[in-house]
Amino acid sequence: MPVNADHLPVAAVPGAPSPPPGLLVTGRFDQPAGYRVDRPHGSASWLLVWTTGGRGRLRQGAAETHAEAGDLLVLAPGIAQEYGVAPGARTWRFWWAHCQVRPGWLSWLRPYAVGDGMYAVTPVPAALHARIEAALRRTHADARWTGTGAPPTAVDAGEPVAVAHGTAARELALGALEEAVVLATATARTPPPPPGTDARVHQALAVIAADPGAPHTVGSLAEGAALSPSRFAHLFTRQVGQSPMRALREARLRHAARLLESTGLSVERVAAASGFVSPFHFSRVFRERYGVPPGAYRAAGPR
């Protein structure tokens, strides 16, 4: 059976088959009104959908949701599913991937469960959309790697569907796809700014949330807000209730806690990935914030 039968550019695909569970198949589509896929017996593999424009509607078992730009929807296998362009919408533009997810992904997705094997990761901060799409482009490119020479560059190849043939291509593509999943799940539920927050402060908070491990400084955040460092620090502190560097530290600690809960990374690597130069400093401030050292926090299991 054709591996892309469920994403053919036709109005409707009732009873559409899905790719065999061992394959990683990915692509990007712009589907018109009337496009619909219906699988009464569900998919043989996991389906991840990242919307870039228009509006989609997805149903899995009794769970149903709509997808707009910046929403990541993940559907587990083996449960009746139906999805397509939402009623009243003219189009639905999205990246998709069928694959077998890595075990660690489930703990990242769990907070976004909406029932019957559906996970709705939303809203993902706008500051992260470009990076997530870049990861999905790499997924598509890496899936086309033949195992000889350099993998293809992450640009549109004119082919809407890519199938990973071989273990190396599949693992490489899964790595890029994993980046998109981590970025989305780590930031989608960042606490919103207080009502009435200045747009420049809001932007700085979004930059911090998008990549808390980056080497942000008061100067770099102020530059992004088009303010002097002193003016930015004063405005940020007055509106948020804490200094920019204190807010950054809190974001880094939250990020580190998520990594400890959902990955097997060493404490040293968690510290580095979260923006802490010294693992000893990280352990000290983590204990001050959560009451236990990082190792004990991990041993206690997901919160």
Side-chain angles (χ1 to χ4, degrees):
M1 66 181 175
V3 297
N4 63 331
D6 56 331
H7 290 291
L8 291 172
V10 296
V13 187
S18 62
L23 286 180
L24 184 150
V25 186
T26 182
R28 185 181 68 173
F29 283 91
D30 183 350
Q31 297 289 10
Y35 168 77
R36 181 175 62 85
V37 169
D38 182 11
R39 292 196 190 93
H41 303 293
S43 172
S45 56
W46 288 77
L47 173 62
L48 293 82
V49 179
W50 168 260
T51 297
T52 60
R55 197 164 191 249
R57 181 185 65 83
L58 300 94
R59 179 183 298 157
Q60 172 115 329
E64 181 176 344
T65 190
H66 287 83
E68 299 180 348
D71 292 345
L72 175 66
L73 274 295
V74 181
L75 305 180
I79 302 171
Q81 62 184 212
E82 177 190 349
Y83 55 88
V85 177
R90 299 176 61 183
T91 186
W92 183 26
R93 298 186 297 278
F94 57 96
W95 286 91
W96 56 268
H98 277 284
C99 65
Q100 292 302 307
V101 304
R102 289 173 169 167
W105 298 12
L106 299 181
S107 59
W108 303 335
L109 291 168
R110 192 172 298 119
Y112 302 96
V114 294
D116 284 347
M118 175 184 284
Y119 303 85
V121 185
T122 179
V124 177
L128 268 180
H129 292 186
R131 182 166 173 181
I132 289 174
E133 184 160 355
L136 294 170
R137 288 179 183 275
R138 290 202 313 278
T139 302
H140 187 272
D142 291 343
R144 306 196 320 272
W145 188 38
T146 62
T148 60
T153 56
V155 297
D156 290 334
E159 299 178 1
V161 176
V163 182
H165 293 289
T167 302
R170 183 176 65 249
E171 290 303 309
L172 200 60
L174 273 176
L177 186 59
E178 181 171 283
E179 179 182 341
V181 173
V182 171
L183 287 169
T185 56
T187 59
R189 292 189 175 176
T190 299
T197 301
D198 185 281
R200 294 164 295 186
V201 173
H202 190 176
Q203 174 63 21
L205 288 169
V207 169
I208 290 172
D211 192 1
H216 303 297
T217 64
V218 172
S220 67
L221 294 171
E223 182 178 357
L227 293 169
S228 69
S230 59
R231 172 60 180 153
F232 168 75
H234 174 76
L235 179 65
F236 188 102
T237 303
R238 178 165 58 85
Q239 295 218 334
V240 179
Q242 57 184 342
S243 70
M245 291 299 97
R246 182 57 183 265
L248 175 61
R249 191 180 81 165
E250 287 297 307
R252 286 174 169 173
L253 288 170
R254 288 194 300 270
H255 181 65
R258 293 189 185 105
L259 291 178
L260 289 168
E261 291 174 2
S262 59
T263 76
L265 293 175
S266 67
V267 171
E268 290 76 14
R269 291 189 64 187
V270 167
S274 303
F276 293 94
V277 176
S278 165
F280 302 103
H281 173 67
F282 165 64
S283 294
R284 179 174 62 80
V285 297
F286 189 94
R287 183 166 189 163
E288 290 174 357
R289 173 66 174 79
Y290 290 100
V292 293
Y297 183 92
R298 166 176 280 159
R303 271 59 178 174

